[in-house]
Amino acid sequence: MDAFAQSESAISPIDMLLSRASVSPRLLAEPGPSDAQIGLILDAALRAPDHGNLKPARFIVIRGEACQRFGALAVQALHQREPDPPAALIEKFRSWPRTVPVIIAVAATVRAGHKIPEIEQILSAGAAAMNILNAAHALGFAAMWVTGPNAYDPVVLRALGLGESDKLVGYVGIGTPINAVRPTPRKLDRQTFVSEW
């Protein structure tokens, strides 16, 4: 089914939010979002809360041949961190970018010493990543926000074009789920996490 057609179904916005579920990048396949859909997803990301209107969020779209290069970069960084990594770990780092149609790296360009605290600048980029997840879901795709060592490795960050003050908040992999997505039932008792003051 066309992702745009899915997004125009009768589902309410709150039901859409409650039905979103993370799908492992290993379970995502083509087709990924089109150029126009990526544009919509990024427009939604730019609507994230932004104290001081600093626009700290930055997005690096990785797709097509770039996914192969990113896998090679991840393995290169792994070898620099670990002199003799296990073969299974090498393959994991090399293969996951190859299976995901689109990866969006989300970073915060932090202005140190600004009156807006650094944590708020980073949280703004985190909110942008969440908007990416929700927009992808609204368009009929599945996605997952991942971090891991390559979200913090300076070799990877410099290769992605990020500067010394930039903080990567994670990678969002987006594609079509291989299997039907069934949200995991939330067995959490809301009252455990909520208090009134």
Side-chain angles (χ1 to χ4, degrees):
M1 179 184 290
D2 183 280
F4 278 119
Q6 286 180 322
S7 69
E8 295 176 5
S9 64
I11 188 168
S12 74
I14 195 69
D15 286 337
M16 188 274 296
L17 290 172
L18 292 173
S19 65
R20 195 207 67 78
S22 293
V23 175
S24 169
R26 294 185 309 277
L27 301 177
L28 298 176
E30 295 287 356
S34 66
D35 288 348
Q37 290 167 323
I38 291 171
L40 286 172
I41 289 167
L42 294 174
D43 286 346
L46 289 168
R47 299 294 300 175
D50 175 15
H51 187 189
N53 199 31
L54 296 181
K55 302 287 183 269
R58 297 293 179 270
F59 311 100
I60 302 153
V61 179
I62 303 167
R63 56 184 162 163
E65 156 59 26
C67 288
Q68 304 290 335
R69 293 196 319 270
F70 184 70
L73 172 63
V75 170
Q76 174 192 345
L78 170 64
H79 280 290
Q80 290 187 11
R81 288 191 305 270
E82 297 183 37
D84 190 22
L89 188 59
I90 293 171
E91 185 53 29
K92 176 184 176 184
F93 277 55
R94 179 183 290 119
S95 66
W96 86 261
R98 291 185 298 193
T99 63
V100 182
V102 174
I103 300 167
I104 301 177
V106 183
T109 295
V110 177
R111 297 189 197 182
H114 195 278
K115 67 177 183 178
I116 306 301
E118 291 185 21
I119 185 64
E120 294 186 25
Q121 298 176 50
I122 295 168
L123 286 170
S124 181
M130 190 68 233
N131 276 7
I132 289 172
L133 290 172
N134 285 327
H137 178 55
L139 290 171
F141 296 101
M144 187 169 186
W145 179 353
V146 300
T147 55
N150 288 316
Y152 311 107
D153 190 301
V155 171
V156 175
L157 302 185
R158 298 301 85 81
L160 289 174
L162 298 176
E164 291 294 327
S165 66
D166 296 332
K167 304 293 183 190
L168 192 80
V169 299
Y171 304 97
V172 181
I174 308 171
T176 298
I178 294 171
N179 302 310
V181 178
R182 290 179 176 73
T184 304
R186 299 292 182 185
K187 298 179 180 177
L188 303 176
D189 176 8
R190 184 186 317 128
Q191 296 309 314
T192 303
F193 305 95
V194 179
S195 62
E196 292 205 31
W197 185 73

